[in-house]
Amino acid sequence: MAESNPYLANMPKYQKQAEKAAISANEPLYGFIPRRVTGAQARSALEHDLNPFTKQQHSAQYKRILEARKKLPVYSQMDEFMEIFKNNQIIVMVGETGSGKTTQIPQFVAYSDLPHTRGKMVACTQPRRVAAMSVAKRVADEMDVQLGRQVGYSMRFEDMTEPGTTFLKYMTDGMLLREAMNDPTMARYSTIILDEAHERTLATDILMGLLKKVAKTRPDLKIIIMSATLDALKFQKYFSLGEGSAPAPLFKVPGRTHPVEVFYTQEPEGDYVEAAIRTVLMIHRAEGPGDILLFLTGKEEIEDACRKIKLEADDLVNQDPDSVGPLMCVPLYSSLPPAQQQRIFDQAPKPTMPNGPPGRKVVVSTNIAETSLTIDGIVYVVDPGFSKQKVYNPRIRVESLLVSPISKASAQQRAGRAGRTQPGKCFRLYTEKDFMTQLEEQTYPEILRCNLSNTVLELVKMGITDLVKFDYVDAPAPETLMRALELLNYLAALDDDGNITPLGSRMADFPLDPQLSKMLIISPEFNCSTEILAITSMLSVPSVWLRPPNARNQADAAKALFTVPEGDHLTLMNVFNQYLTNKGDKRWAYDNFLDMRALTQAENIQGQLERTMQRNDIPLLSLTDERKLFQNIRQVLVCGFFMQIAHKEGDKGSYMTVKDNQVVQLHPSSGLDSRPEWVLYNEFVLTNRPYISGVTEIRPEWLLEFASNYFDLKAFPDGETKRALQRVQNRRLGRAEDSGISRKNKKKKDDGERKQKKQRTE
DNA sequence: GAGCACTGC
């Protein structure tokens, strides 16, 4: 059976290369044939005095760590793994938390694959940057090499690898996807491992689709899909190659955690926040020592709950100081400044009196504590069963966040957080029946919940033109794909047959949404690429505005000083430019209520985008006449965001989005207070009410001039917006016919249309 | 006059 594997047809070639390496009998890898290495051989190399990759003596630390590695569940299954790796091209592996799969499996692969003998690499992807970096550090220590040499990591803004030396590379899934755009066969890798595949991030899902395709043309490429939960069968079936083939083989390793006892409520809870607070206080009064982790859905809910818990706990302590210890309540969410996030690692408070009842720490957190951050010492988990999840409505092209029930897999993950250091308890604030019957097995994959315009452009760039027939693990809604294709066609990134245009190809080179990359590329024609680069960078980071609850008025006053009347985009540019000129002043950001983290990130992105512009020969231009400059900037905004325009409706300050006909309000965070008739918006925000945010005033003539295809009035839905545009159209044409000055305008208009047409046919 | 779950290039 093994001999029928197409990979093995290539075997003799590798054998020859290994011989060529002329490994002498006393070296650790003597007699190793790539991909036919046994567990016994690998173990003998691990015990060898010499490091097979550096030819140096192993350090004392290496031996110490090796003893610890031997205790990991996955280590005892090395023989089994080596055998399954030898015989298969694609493997699905399941390893629960604590199995050691993320650190050990890539090393087993390296010992069998010996990628360094062929100038290849083993890649292992992670959904998060911190994970890629910290695991790479750990594995470099385990292999007794310097981080960034044989073992490295690669992610946006940080490449810790050495070309020609690095053969084991941890990287973010998004980074591998980016690489795949320029190298669709992923030729530099001999084995690719996708870790945490159960999280179903957009990048991992797309990579699974690509790898399934590449596997057929590259029989020498081995693929391992690693997952924590038992959705392995889905991956096994997906990766069965060819019609009617057997599912991909499964390699399974048990986890190693402490047992967690799970409790359910008898009746469904009406108010989960109130129930959660009650449960936390009950645990504090009645349960043994150990910290508590409570999952809630957002910043406001968390701050609110922290205040209430603190108040009630203080009451309890006052009433009964002999039996109730002090309680410390710490919030945790990603937009919290890093220094405050660190508080989750503080020790629980000491007893208030000698031999008094012990203190306790309560961490109230979003989903960030479910996967990204691990807090030791948690013994109790309170799980109300909700989280905020992104949903996408392709009909109105809006992404929004919705408080929704979590999945069973997510509930299990949350419960597991109680058993990291000792046996724990998990209190679920829903009934066991609801858990069994109401919750989905798995969290909906991201690919089904978001706007795909960026992804579609990337796929087309990689030569996948039939997006509907692409072999997805879970196929997105056809309407979502249609929406993406429609946007890309109007932006002239794709032609009418769905083929990529030269413009689209350049757009895909930028790590940006297509509207933004389009703006960057055409901005030199308007002599304002420097400014568009700044705006684009600022739109790529979270909001820079801080508004501490105890200093709202000062923060608003500081913001008003940056505000540019024509709109929020110019305000963002103003903030960015002032940030650059005041970089020497460490207090500047603080004094102006601006988020230093976000500004630094914007500057990083600006640098990366500038390099991409240089690569694509896009010059950085600007104008000295500010009035003209601001107008040109707003025109470029129209060239990217002409599908996000709203028209004023009546006198109440409402707006109506063009074509989608949604009634919206300007978001209160917007600095635009002149209520202009036509605005362009960066984002449709659906919270308690529909808002548009990131808003700039535009002139309707520009819509007809720079987006004549989209604003083709003959095909425009009837209504007040169309009538208003029609009046503008008539005025333009009338003027053009009447006077000599207007003839100039007409010429300009024709130029604009030609430009538009040119872009569409490029 | 109101909010940004979490990632990633």
Side-chain angles (χ1 to χ4, degrees), chain A residues 14-15 138 183 324 328 346 369 390 413 491 669 683 730:
Chain A
Y14 294 141
Q15 214 166 331
R138 170 69 193 181
D183 174 18
V324 182
M328 162 176 110
D346 289 354
K390 192 159 65 183
Q413 178 75 17
L491 287 170
S669 65
E683 207 180 5
N730 295 342

Side-chain angles (χ1 to χ4, degrees), chain A residues 166-183:
Chain A
T166 302
F167 61 81
L168 176 52
K169 177 161 90 171
Y170 285 88
M171 64 204 300
T172 48
D173 52 6
M175 194 71 199
L176 183 59
L177 189 56
R178 268 279 137 189
E179 283 187 9
M181 276 178 48
N182 297 312
D183 174 18

Side-chain angles (χ1 to χ4, degrees), chain A residues 95-259:
Chain A
E96 302 290 333
T97 30
S99 63
K101 67 177 190 318
T102 303
T103 52
Q104 304 309 305
I105 293 293
Q107 293 187 69
F108 295 176
V109 169
Y111 270 87
S112 176
D113 205 0
L114 304 174
H116 65 297
T117 61
R118 281 169 286 142
K120 299 267 180 188
M121 282 187 285
V122 170
C124 178
T125 68
Q126 298 292 321
R128 282 167 292 279
R129 296 167 59 96
V130 270
M133 190 183 354
S134 59
V135 174
K137 269 187 190 140
R138 170 69 193 181
V139 171
D141 283 348
E142 291 191 358
M143 292 181 71
D144 220 9
V145 301
Q146 196 190 328
L147 179 67
R149 292 192 44 91
Q150 286 80 4
V151 177
Y153 64 88
S154 175
M155 55 184 70
R156 189 183 193 182
F157 305 127
E158 211 179 337
D159 183 9
M160 265 295 255
T161 63
E162 193 178 293
T165 307
T166 302
F167 61 81
L168 176 52
K169 177 161 90 171
Y170 285 88
M171 64 204 300
T172 48
D173 52 6
M175 194 71 199
L176 183 59
L177 189 56
R178 268 279 137 189
E179 283 187 9
M181 276 178 48
N182 297 312
D183 174 18
T185 66
M186 300 183 232
R188 71 186 85 170
Y189 302 106
S190 54
T191 299
I192 292 176
I193 305 168
L194 302 184
D195 198 4
E196 316 289 0
H198 62 279
E199 290 193 26
R200 304 295 304 276
T201 64
L202 182 54
T204 293
D205 260 33
I206 299 295
L207 283 169
M208 284 196 275
L210 293 173
L211 286 172
K212 182 172 178 179
K213 207 166 125 100
V214 172
K216 291 172 189 159
T217 56
R218 270 196 64 191
D220 62 304
L221 177 70
K222 288 197 184 255
I223 297 161
I224 302 176
I225 308 297
M226 301 209 291
S227 162
T229 44
L230 288 164
D231 51 2
L233 189 59
K234 179 165 193 158
F235 297 136
Q236 285 180 272
K237 283 185 179 155
Y238 178 74
F239 280 107
S240 64
L241 294 181
E243 291 297 309
S245 302
L250 179 70
F251 178 69
K252 202 174 154 190
V253 179
R256 200 183 51 189
T257 47
H258 301 277

Side-chain angles (χ1 to χ4, degrees), chain A residues 519-684:
Chain A
M519 285 189 350
L520 265 187
I521 292 169
I522 60 129
S523 58
E525 295 179 38
F526 294 79
N527 294 306
C528 59
S529 38
T530 310
E531 288 73 21
I532 295 295
L533 173 60
I535 292 171
T536 304
S537 307
M538 288 292 273
L539 289 176
S540 301
V541 299
S543 169
V544 296
W545 312 106
L546 294 179
R547 205 165 178 247
N550 54 359
R552 284 196 183 156
N553 292 338
Q554 288 127 287
D556 291 348
K559 184 174 176 182
L561 293 177
F562 290 104
T563 302
V564 180
E566 289 96 324
D568 299 331
H569 295 87
L570 290 165
T571 302
L572 284 180
M573 175 186 91
N574 187 25
V575 172
F576 187 71
N577 289 338
Q578 292 206 38
Y579 158 73
L580 292 182
T581 41
N582 289 287
K583 244 169 53 179
D585 182 356
K586 286 201 166 61
R587 289 187 52 87
W588 182 83
Y590 180 86
D591 290 343
N592 287 285
F593 295 91
L594 294 167
D595 186 340
M596 193 59 189
R597 258 196 308 173
L599 287 165
T600 324
Q601 206 185 336
E603 194 186 356
N604 270 335
I605 291 174
Q606 187 213 27
Q608 187 190 29
L609 296 176
E610 193 180 334
R611 287 189 294 278
T612 313
M613 287 171 82
Q614 277 166 359
R615 211 169 48 234
N616 284 280
D617 294 319
I618 300 164
L620 280 175
L621 306 176
S622 188
L623 288 170
T624 42
D625 176 353
E626 190 178 81
R627 210 184 58 84
K628 179 75 182 143
L629 176 68
F630 281 15
Q631 172 161 320
N632 286 13
I633 292 169
R634 285 154 63 212
Q635 289 177 343
V636 171
L637 291 173
V638 167
C639 294
F641 285 88
F642 53 83
M643 292 172 83
Q644 290 169 215
I645 305 292
H647 182 231
K648 191 156 80 169
E649 262 232 318
D651 312 322
K652 293 263 173 64
S654 299
Y655 283 82
M656 170 101 92
T657 62
V658 169
K659 287 205 183 179
D660 297 326
N661 294 334
Q662 302 290 307
V663 177
V664 295
Q665 308 290 321
L666 296 190
H667 196 277
S669 65
S670 173
L672 188 71
D673 54 10
S674 58
R675 305 271 158 192
E677 190 178 349
W678 295 90
V679 295
L680 170 152
Y681 59 91
N682 179 56
E683 207 180 5
F684 186 114

Side-chain angles (χ1 to χ4, degrees), chain A residues 31-42:
Chain A
F32 281 39
I33 301 167
R35 297 183 164 185
R36 289 190 153 178
V37 176
T38 63
Q41 281 180 306

